[in-house]
Amino acid sequence: MARLATALIAEFPDYYRWHSKRAFQHNNITQPNRNRLLWSDESVDGMKTGYTNAAGYCLVASARRRGMRLISVVMGTKSPAERARQSKRLLDYGFKNFETHRLYGAREIISEVRVWEGDKERLALGLQDDLVVTIPRGQYASLQARLELRERVMAPVAVDSQQGTLRVVLEDELVAERPLLSLTPIDLGNLWRRLSDRVKSMLE
């Protein structure tokens, strides 16, 4: 449910905004939103309530405070009031104890590698999308980015081909892992460049 909510917010923002409406009227019939948090917490703007005999009263809630969005999922409660209360507790705990940081932007140059026998010697590497992480509050300075790059990059190189891996760790715990992609294509160099690089390669 959390993954579905994340995808809906990111990929269908125009549709998601309907989840913040407290009521909807059609054919003179008013249908109230059953998400009670919309009345008690201004930061909450979604998302979905539910009930079945097997799952009990459920609520996927989403809130945004000080630029950070969190999603809570509560299932198996005994009443609508209880699902709202437990969701509020989860969200309050998350905002109090965690913080979100944008580490790298999409297509931002993170590193460069040497390219052999190409029309250019340096290849810029980056990520397909923004890299955003949520970590315990006050731990940002302890984040470490570790790059694992291909040992030797040979031309030609297609744009967006994977040339390594970026891992973000916090006290040796993996927080995020993304492929490092080539941001530009590199063609084969001329004959002189190719021969020159082959000689340099043998001398290394």
Side-chain angles (χ1 to χ4, degrees), residues 33-36 47-51 57-60 83:
N33 195 322
R34 293 182 176 86
N35 182 359
R36 297 188 179 187
M47 166 179 257
K48 184 70 178 72
T49 61
Y51 172 79
Y57 289 91
C58 309
L59 173 57
V60 178
R83 71 185 175 192

Side-chain angles (χ1 to χ4, degrees), residues 9 16 19-20 22 35-47 61-72 87-96:
I9 293 169
Y16 175 71
H19 291 278
S20 65
R22 294 180 179 181
N35 182 359
R36 297 188 179 187
L37 294 183
L38 293 175
W39 282 264
S40 61
D41 188 332
E42 292 183 354
S43 68
V44 174
D45 56 9
M47 166 179 257
S62 179
R64 185 178 180 88
R65 302 179 191 172
R66 298 180 297 276
M68 181 171 76
R69 178 174 294 284
L70 292 181
I71 295 169
S72 65
S87 296
K88 181 72 162 61
R89 289 180 62 187
L90 276 176
L91 290 171
D92 287 345
Y93 178 87
F95 284 114
K96 179 181 178 180

